[in-house]
């Protein structure tokens, strides 16, 4: 069993380049199914979710090669539109293959996806969008069987879902005619997916706004793309410095994508300076509580940053209120951080963090990706040793969490622990 072993209470100092974005690379890898040629993706992070996605592409008959951070995918002649259950269950985002596989092959068969348990995340919006484009979808023995020739249509999402927006975009690129997606998600990852699709020859415009227009049915060719840095990983490392104290510099990040996170940290007492592609943070004095933080779709405060910022504010003077508007079960890390001496009270979607003078090292267990990262952040600011198990969840989104934090001056190691 692997664990993160952390010697906390050390002020940080250092710099680190932020890995490629998990939430960008997964839909972009799915989009390669649409290309009748080789795609080259650079800065692909070494995540388990990326490996599962590559396994799905291999199963479909695509040529896949990886060397370091560069991945080659050749989907010239995909051979299988059926994705087996054991691959679908490994991650929630596997449903993103529904649109491109159906669009490219005229049929897609898969099961419901797996991944972190963060409460209900139904794929109804995905299915409704595809039906609008002419897909016939049947559920049979726990499997989704989708088929039909896609044509353009007017899709209105009842919620600005990132995954549904991406699936609709990927299907619409293959559909004949014009598709309009209204109430589209506005996240930077949507913009990056549009950039990649345009590189392949697709006509997509409007990403970053609430209306995306796609002229579909164009033959797509291969292309090259470099995955942009991960804004949530950047938020994690900013929170780590805020919790432990000291200073750090993050390289290769777009500060504009992190403005709500850095604003909260500045209000708490951190000094944050942003350059064209870097962010510097320094913490000299004890932090203070901030005004209520409410998670919301982009450009609001990101739900994926809620847990790590909460960990950073556990020692802040005063009380900070968090309101989780995106998922029902996103406070699963609270009980574990409380083992370290944190005072956090949860009622439904609201968590009140009452700052304590100090945290203490403890054995804790990660039960999901971002909650696990929050335990590591808290461990850096705690006195003594913290051991975090459940690292498989964390490795879904962080390629080398321990190595990156050591670059920032932390004393943390990923170790194999013998269980007797």
């Amino acid at each position: 069993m692997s664990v993160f072993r952390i010697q906390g209470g050390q002020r940080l100092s250092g710099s680190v380049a932020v890995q490629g974005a998990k939430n960008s690379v997964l839909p972009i890898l799915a989009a390669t199914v649409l290309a009748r040629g080789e795609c080259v993706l650079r800065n692909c992070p070494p995540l388990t979710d990326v490996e599962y996605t590559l396994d799905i592409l291999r199963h479909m008959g695509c040529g896949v090669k990886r060397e370091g951070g560069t991945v080659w995918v050749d989907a010239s002649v995909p051979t299988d539109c059926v994705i087996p259950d054991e691959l679908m269950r490994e991650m929630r985002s596997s449903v993103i293959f529904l649109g491109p596989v159906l669009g490219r092959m005229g049929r897609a068969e898969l099961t419901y996806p797996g991944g972190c348990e963060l409460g209900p995340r139904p794929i109804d919006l995905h299915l409704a969008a595809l039906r609008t484009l002419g897909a016939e979808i049947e559920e049979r023995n726990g499997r989704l069987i989708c088929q039909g020739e896609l044509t353009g249509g007017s899709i209105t999402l009842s919620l600005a879902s990132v995954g549904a927006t991406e699936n609709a975009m990927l299907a619409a690129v293959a559909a004949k005619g014009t598709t309009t997606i209204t109430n589209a998600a506005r996240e930077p990852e949507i913009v990056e997916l549009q950039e990649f699709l345009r590189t392949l020859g697709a006509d997509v415009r409007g990403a970053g706004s609430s209306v995306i227009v796609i002229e579909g049915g164009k033959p797509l060719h291969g292309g090259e793309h470099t995955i942009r840095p991960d804004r949530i990983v950047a938020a994690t490392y900013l929170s780590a410095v805020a919790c432990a104290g000291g200073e750090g510099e993050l390289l290769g990040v777009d500060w504009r994508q992190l403005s709500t996170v850095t604003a909260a940290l500045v209000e708490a007492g951190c000094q944050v300076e942003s350059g064209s592609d870097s962010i510097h943070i320094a913490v000299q004095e004890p932090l203070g509580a901030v005004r209520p933080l409410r998670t919301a779709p982009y450009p609001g405060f990101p739900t994926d940053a809620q847990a790590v910022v909460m960990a950073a504010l556990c020692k802040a003077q005063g009380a900070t209120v968090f309101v989780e508007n995106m998922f029902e079960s996103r406070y699963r890390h609270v009980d574990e951080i409380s083992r370290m001496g944190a005072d956090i009270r949860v009622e439904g979607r609201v968590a009140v963090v009452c700052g304590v003078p100090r945290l203490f090292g403890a054995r804790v267990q990660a039960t999901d990706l971002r909650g696990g990262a929050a335990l590591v952040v808290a461990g850096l600011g705690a006195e003594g040793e913290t051991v975090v198990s459940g690292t498989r969840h964390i490795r879904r989104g962080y390629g080398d969490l321990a190595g990156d934090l050591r670059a920032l001056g932390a004393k943390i190691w990923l170790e194999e622990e013998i269980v007797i």
Side-chain angles (χ1 to χ4, degrees), residues 325-398:
N325 293 311
M326 305 300 290
F327 297 115
E328 293 181 5
S329 302
R330 200 126 211 196
Y331 292 137
R332 299 177 68 191
H333 57 283
V334 168
D335 287 344
E336 297 300 299
I337 292 184
S338 297
R339 292 172 177 265
M340 305 168 71
D343 184 355
I344 307 173
R345 304 163 193 182
V346 175
E347 184 67 37
R349 292 182 178 267
V350 178
V352 180
V353 181
C354 301
V356 296
R358 57 182 60 86
L359 297 175
F360 302 96
R363 293 190 67 93
V364 291
Q365 182 174 4
T367 58
D368 63 82
L369 169 55
R370 305 305 175 185
L375 298 179
V376 172
V377 169
L380 294 174
E383 298 177 5
E385 182 178 85
T386 295
V387 178
V388 182
S389 60
T391 61
R392 68 186 186 281
H393 296 291
I394 299 172
R395 293 202 300 270
R396 289 185 47 239
Y398 297 84

Side-chain angles (χ1 to χ4, degrees), residues 16-323:
V16 65
V18 176
Q19 69 179 50
K22 167 184 178 286
N23 291 337
S24 290
V25 69
L26 300 184
I28 286 175
L29 282 170
T32 64
V33 171
L34 296 166
R36 300 177 184 274
E38 184 177 74
C39 296
V40 182
L41 304 179
R42 298 184 174 87
N43 198 32
C44 292
L47 311 177
T48 54
D49 272 13
V50 170
E51 294 308 312
Y52 293 138
T53 303
L54 296 179
D55 285 343
I56 290 175
L57 290 168
R58 292 186 185 98
H59 176 83
M60 291 180 58
C62 301
V64 176
K65 182 175 71 170
R66 176 166 194 159
E67 291 181 4
T70 302
V71 171
W72 292 262
V73 179
D74 188 347
S76 298
V77 189
T79 58
D80 199 337
C81 64
V82 179
I83 302 176
D85 180 64
E86 58 268 22
L87 292 177
M88 287 296 299
R89 285 182 178 274
E90 293 295 347
M91 59 180 185
R92 173 68 60 173
S93 54
S94 55
V95 72
I96 196 63
F97 277 94
L98 190 57
V101 174
L102 177 61
R104 176 70 187 276
M105 305 182 75
R107 180 181 174 91
E109 184 175 337
L110 45 79
T111 59
Y112 285 91
C116 286
E117 296 299 328
L118 299 178
R121 289 195 280 181
I123 62 172
D124 297 1
L125 295 177
H126 301 244
L127 304 184
L130 296 180
R131 286 189 172 107
T132 298
L133 300 182
E136 299 176 3
I137 303 174
E138 176 186 0
E139 182 174 355
R140 187 188 305 162
N141 298 324
R143 299 191 65 83
L144 290 170
I145 301 172
C146 312
Q147 55 189 344
E149 183 175 347
L150 302 182
T151 56
S154 180
I155 298 171
T156 300
L157 299 175
S158 58
L159 296 173
S161 162
V162 174
T165 300
E166 292 168 340
N167 235 335
M169 290 172 67
L170 295 172
V173 164
K176 296 179 180 179
T178 303
T179 296
T180 301
I181 306 171
T182 304
N183 196 31
R186 300 165 59 189
E187 272 72 2
E189 295 78 19
I190 301 291
V191 177
E192 188 168 1
L193 178 60
Q194 173 180 273
E195 291 177 356
F196 179 66
L197 289 171
R198 290 168 69 99
T199 297
L200 303 184
D203 185 349
V204 185
R205 57 191 183 275
S209 73
S210 58
V211 179
I212 299 175
V213 179
I214 301 165
E215 300 293 339
K218 301 179 182 297
L220 302 188
H221 49 73
E224 300 185 10
H225 180 79
T226 299
I227 305 298
R228 291 181 177 177
D230 195 311
R231 61 193 175 99
I232 304 304
V233 170
T236 302
Y237 297 164
L238 291 171
S239 298
V241 177
C243 189
E247 61 181 326
E249 185 176 31
L250 309 187
L251 306 176
V253 294
D254 186 343
W255 64 269
R256 294 167 298 182
Q257 298 178 3
L258 288 161
S259 58
T260 54
V261 173
T262 55
L265 295 177
V266 167
E267 185 180 346
C270 301
Q271 299 173 5
V272 178
E273 296 180 2
S274 302
S276 58
D277 61 351
S278 65
I279 300 177
H280 182 272
I281 182 172
V283 182
Q284 304 299 334
E285 304 294 335
L287 300 184
V290 304
R291 287 169 290 185
L293 295 175
R294 298 177 173 86
T295 63
Y298 189 85
F301 190 87
T303 181
D304 281 348
Q306 172 255 108
V308 294
V309 173
M310 180 184 292
L313 296 179
C314 281
K315 295 191 297 181
Q317 297 174 354
T320 298
V321 175
F322 287 79
V323 182

